[in-house]
Amino acid sequence: MKTVRDVLRHKQGGNIYSIVPIASVYEAIEMMADRHVGALPVLQEGKLVGIVSERDYARKVILKDKSSKRTKVSEIMTREVVRVSSRDRVEACIEKMQTHHIRHLVVEDAGVVTGMLSLRDLFSEIIAEQAETIDHLEHYIRGEP
C-alpha cells in the first residue's frame, strides 16, 4: 500500500506553488496555467487559510459575472480545506476526495504544507503500482527471477 509520501516522491517537479489571499483571482488562474496545476493552497504568513481551484473560479467568478482582476482570492477560496499527511495511504486519500467531492488535497505535516495531490496524481500512482504487480506476476508465471 502506497502512501502520500511515495506519491510526492514520484510526482514530477515536486514544487509547491501557493498564493496569498490578497492576490487577484486573475493572478491565481495565471499561476495555475503557468504551472499546469488545477488548484493552489492559499497561505497567509506561512499558514494554510484556504485552497483555490479552477472549479472555484468557474463557479464563483465566471458564473457570477465577476471580474477576475478585481476579485481577491480570499473572496472565492474554499476555507475548509481537506488535508492529509504524508503518512496517509493513497486509498484513504481517494476516499476523502470521494466523500468531499473534491479533486485536490493539501498535504500538511506538523502544520506545514508539504505538497498538493490531485486525483490524477493518485490514479497515476495506482496504475504504476498495478503495472509493477503485473510485471512481477508475468515473470513468476514464466519462471523468471
Side-chain angles (χ1 to χ4, degrees), residues 65-134:
D65 203 26
K66 291 185 175 183
S67 165
S68 60
K69 290 188 177 182
R70 289 194 299 274
T71 304
K72 299 293 180 208
V73 167
S74 61
E75 295 175 53
I76 70 159
M77 70 184 187
T78 301
R79 295 176 188 280
E80 294 180 23
V81 181
V82 179
R83 309 159 200 232
V84 295
S85 82
S86 61
R87 296 177 308 281
D88 287 332
R89 301 260 178 230
V90 167
E91 292 79 8
C93 293
I94 292 173
E95 285 178 26
K96 278 189 178 188
M97 289 176 156
Q98 288 175 327
T99 300
H100 296 281
H101 306 287
I102 57 176
R103 295 181 186 132
H104 299 90
L105 291 169
V106 175
V107 182
E108 191 175 58
D109 291 308
V112 176
V113 174
T114 57
M116 283 282 293
L117 289 178
S118 69
L119 197 52
R120 176 180 289 158
D121 296 330
L122 296 173
F123 284 161
S124 293
E125 190 67 30
I126 289 170
I127 290 167
E129 186 176 16
Q130 288 176 347
E132 186 177 320
T133 300
I134 290 168

Side-chain angles (χ1 to χ4, degrees), residues 12-30:
Q12 292 179 352
N15 296 324
I16 304 167
Y17 306 108
S18 64
I19 196 141
V20 295
I22 60 169
S24 72
V25 172
Y26 182 88
E27 292 171 292
I29 294 299
E30 185 175 50

Side-chain angles (χ1 to χ4, degrees), residues 17-73:
Y17 306 108
S18 64
I19 196 141
V20 295
I22 60 169
S24 72
V25 172
Y26 182 88
E27 292 171 292
I29 294 299
E30 185 175 50
M31 182 183 287
M32 286 184 232
D34 290 346
R35 306 294 195 252
H36 306 286
V37 296
L40 295 168
V42 182
L43 303 180
Q44 186 169 10
E45 297 176 12
K47 297 292 179 194
L48 182 66
V49 295
I51 186 170
V52 64
S53 69
E54 294 166 332
R55 183 184 281 185
D56 292 321
Y57 174 66
R59 293 178 178 182
K60 299 173 186 174
V61 177
I62 294 175
L63 289 178
K64 298 200 178 202
D65 203 26
K66 291 185 175 183
S67 165
S68 60
K69 290 188 177 182
R70 289 194 299 274
T71 304
K72 299 293 180 208
V73 167

